[in-house]
Every structure is written in C-alpha cells, then in structure tokens.
Amino acid sequence: MATIPVYDLFQKLVLVTRDSARTMQRHLIDALGHGFDKLVLDFKGVESLTPSFFDEVLSMIEEATGQHGERKVTVRV
C-alpha cells in the first residue's frame, strides 16, 4: 500500500485546478510503479477541493494503471 500525503505536496487548504493536480503525477506514477495495488490519498489538512481537481487525479490514476483495465488498484481517500 502506498500513501500520498496531499497537503504536504501542495501546502494549500484549497485545491482548485486541473493543472495544479498534475503536480501529483510523478508521485502517483512512483507509487503505482512499485506494484502497489492499494493507494491512499491522504487529504488531512486540505479543507476543500474542486471536482475538476479530483477528476484530474482520477484521470492520472487511470493513465498510470492502464486505461483498459490491465491493472486494478483500490484507491482510498
């Protein structure tokens, strides 16, 4: 299981844009590249985020795991 501490990456209480979400891409690829089948996105310290930010995060997870279901990953928020 890999855990990504989201607040530690951004140091912001509110996460807004798709572009800013892309900052997490390297961390997602690193975590999923180690073969973990469980990923925890720890939003402790983040007060709110927009749907577009979270949608971009989900898109990056899909890209990293294969768009056609080659690999299954459980994501816990």
Side-chain angles (χ1 to χ4, degrees), residues 5-24:
V6 178
Y7 180 80
D8 291 349
L9 298 178
F10 294 95
Q11 298 290 308
K12 294 182 180 180
L13 297 176
V14 180
L15 304 175
V16 182
T17 66
R18 288 180 182 273
D19 286 339
S20 66
R22 281 280 164 186
T23 303
M24 291 179 58

Side-chain angles (χ1 to χ4, degrees), residues 37-72:
D37 62 348
K38 293 181 183 174
L39 176 64
V40 176
L41 300 176
D42 181 359
F43 284 94
K44 183 179 178 183
V46 175
E47 293 183 6
S48 65
L49 57 115
T50 62
S52 60
F53 179 94
F54 195 66
D55 182 61
E56 190 66 23
V57 171
L58 293 177
S59 294
M60 290 185 292
I61 292 170
E62 183 179 48
E63 290 170 13
T65 59
Q67 296 181 0
H68 303 290
E70 293 100 12
R71 183 167 165 219
K72 302 291 183 197

